[in-house]
């Protein structure tokens, strides 16, 4: 089996386990390619990809762009901040105008939940969701799974805890789907005001105490507090949050075992994680970013295989 079962990468929810395994296996091959002196392959020559970013991004935007260049695709970069969206143009008009320039694939980040799915229903191009509101961020979860696998081997029965602002996190939801499909045990930890009420329906337990959660896990994914998505005050202060749910070196060194620390970025240093933890040998934060390129190359390459 060397084909994905889906035409678009909208969310991990829609992928089968074998799709995830295929993307991760293909990423292993591309990781080897991008570590060669000549990093470019002709796989997507004659394919045009538009990167549409309606919300800020550093890692995802640059990672997709370099992945596309390594695959020899032609690329268009669009950022809503300096576009005709500011003059009132709708999403569908914006995208149809871009597609009329003969675009084959669209990578889109959008602040609204379901934006990528909406596009997939209305346009002909293959759509890759680069993050839609607090919903899904599939390529982040895939690169996270790849990074864990690289460090710990098979994910089956590995214990992963996701810590912090799970309520507003598309990274958390995509990771829960992805890690569970690969056989890992997933729990979340944080103040109950930042944990979605439906979490138990996903088969995910909540651990309130951070030290207990860290002693349970092999890998801790620390999440950023997403103040930009919080209309209500869901915890008293950042200082109190960081006292109860921030990970510092003293806590890390007091654990029963040596765990791996991950963070999707951007980091609020001193809030969810201190600098000495983020920059420690137990942190694989920069490996996650590095692996993002190979994983995105794999996802784009496999989706291009579904272009008729
Ligand atoms: N991890 C992540 O999505 O980072 P960016 O918002 O910088 O793309």
């Amino acid at each position: 089996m060397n084909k994905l079962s889906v035409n678009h990468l909208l969310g991990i929810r829609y992928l089968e386990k074998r799709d995830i395994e295929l993307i991760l296996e293909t990423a292993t091959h591309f990781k080897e390619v991008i570590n060669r002196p000549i990093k470019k392959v002709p796989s997507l020559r004659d394919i045009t990809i538009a990167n549409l970013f309606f919300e800020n991004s550093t890692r995802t935007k640059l990672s997709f762009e370099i992945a596309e260049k390594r695959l020899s695709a032609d690329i268009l970069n669009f950022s809503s901040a300096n576009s005709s969206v500011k003059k009132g143009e709708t999403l569908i008009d914006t995208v149809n105008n871009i597609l009329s320039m003969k675009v084959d694939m669209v990578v889109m980040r959008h602040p609204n939940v379901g934006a990528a799915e909406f596009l997939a229903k209305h346009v002909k191009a293959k759509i890759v969701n680069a993050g839609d509101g607090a919903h899904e961020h599939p390529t982040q979860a895939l690169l996270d799974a790849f990074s864990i696998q690289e460090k710990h081997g098979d994910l089956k029965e590995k214990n992963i805890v996701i810590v912090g602002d799970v309520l507003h996190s598309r990274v958390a939801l995509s990771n829960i789907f992805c890690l569970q499909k690969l056989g890992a045990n997933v729990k979340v930890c944080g103040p109950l005001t930042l944990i979605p009420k439906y979490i138990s329906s996903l088969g995910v337990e909540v651990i309130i105490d951070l030290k207990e959660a860290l002693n349970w896990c092999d890998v801790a994914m620390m999440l950023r507090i997403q103040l930009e998505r919080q209309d209500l005050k869901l915890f008293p202060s950042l200082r109190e949050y960081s006292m109860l749910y921030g990970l510092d070196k003293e806590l890390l060194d007091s654990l029963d075992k040596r765990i791996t620390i991950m963070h999707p970025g951007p980091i609020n240093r001193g809030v969810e994680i201190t600098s000495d933890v983020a920059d420690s040998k137990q942190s694989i934060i920069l490996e996650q970013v590095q692996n993002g390129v190979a994983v995105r190359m794999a996802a784009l390459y496999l989706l291009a295989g579904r272009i008729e």
Side-chain angles (χ1 to χ4, degrees), residues 56-61 109 137 140 170-171 264-266:
N56 295 344
S57 168
T58 298
R59 279 146 291 269
T60 312
K61 188 168 184 286
R109 169 167 292 190
H137 191 351
Q140 178 70 44
R170 53 193 172 212
V171 174

Side-chain angles (χ1 to χ4, degrees), residues 31 127 137 147-148 153 156 169 177 214 241 245 270 276 306:
K31 184 157 180 178
I127 309 297
H137 191 351
S147 304
I148 299 172
K156 201 164 168 49
S169 176
F177 290 135
L214 296 174
Y241 175 84
Y245 291 102
D276 49 6
R306 296 199 58 98

Side-chain angles (χ1 to χ4, degrees), residues 247-255 259 261 277 280 282:
L247 177 55
D248 62 17
K249 197 73 170 62
E250 194 183 335
L251 177 55
L252 189 63
D253 290 344
S254 74
L255 301 177
I259 63 169
I261 306 301
V277 173
S280 72
Q282 282 166 262

Side-chain angles (χ1 to χ4, degrees), residues 133-276:
H135 181 219
E136 280 230 35
H137 191 351
T139 56
Q140 178 70 44
L142 291 164
L143 75 87
D144 288 341
F146 185 92
S147 304
I148 299 172
Q149 222 172 55
E150 202 172 54
K151 180 93 184 160
H152 291 271
D154 193 346
L155 271 95
K156 201 164 168 49
E157 298 305 332
K158 294 289 180 308
N159 292 340
I160 321 285
V161 70
I162 304 177
V163 180
D165 188 358
V166 179
L167 183 66
H168 299 100
S169 176
R170 53 193 172 212
V171 174
L173 192 59
S174 287
N175 260 299
I176 290 169
F177 290 135
C178 188
L179 295 166
Q180 286 184 336
K181 286 183 190 206
L182 293 172
N185 306 311
V186 186
K187 296 189 184 187
V188 295
C189 172
L192 285 177
T193 49
L194 292 180
I195 305 291
K197 294 206 170 27
Y198 60 78
I199 201 81
S200 61
S201 70
L202 301 176
V204 174
E205 257 181 57
V206 183
I207 307 180
I208 301 290
D209 180 69
L210 179 59
K211 187 161 181 175
E212 183 189 335
L214 296 174
N215 269 325
W216 170 79
C217 75
D218 301 301
V219 177
M221 273 183 197
M222 308 304 293
L223 298 177
R224 180 174 69 89
I225 290 286
Q226 302 203 23
L227 292 170
E228 75 277 20
R229 295 195 206 281
Q230 295 187 19
D231 302 328
L232 300 166
K233 222 167 160 32
L234 296 172
F235 52 90
S237 68
L238 282 178
R239 190 164 168 271
E240 185 170 320
Y241 175 84
S242 134
M243 278 169 63
L244 291 172
Y245 291 102
L247 177 55
D248 62 17
K249 197 73 170 62
E250 194 183 335
L251 177 55
L252 189 63
D253 290 344
S254 74
L255 301 177
D256 301 338
K257 57 182 173 186
R258 210 177 145 80
I259 63 169
T260 297
I261 306 301
M262 300 175 73
H263 193 304
I267 303 173
N268 290 316
R269 284 178 185 256
V271 179
E272 63 268 2
I273 187 170
T274 53
S275 283
D276 49 6

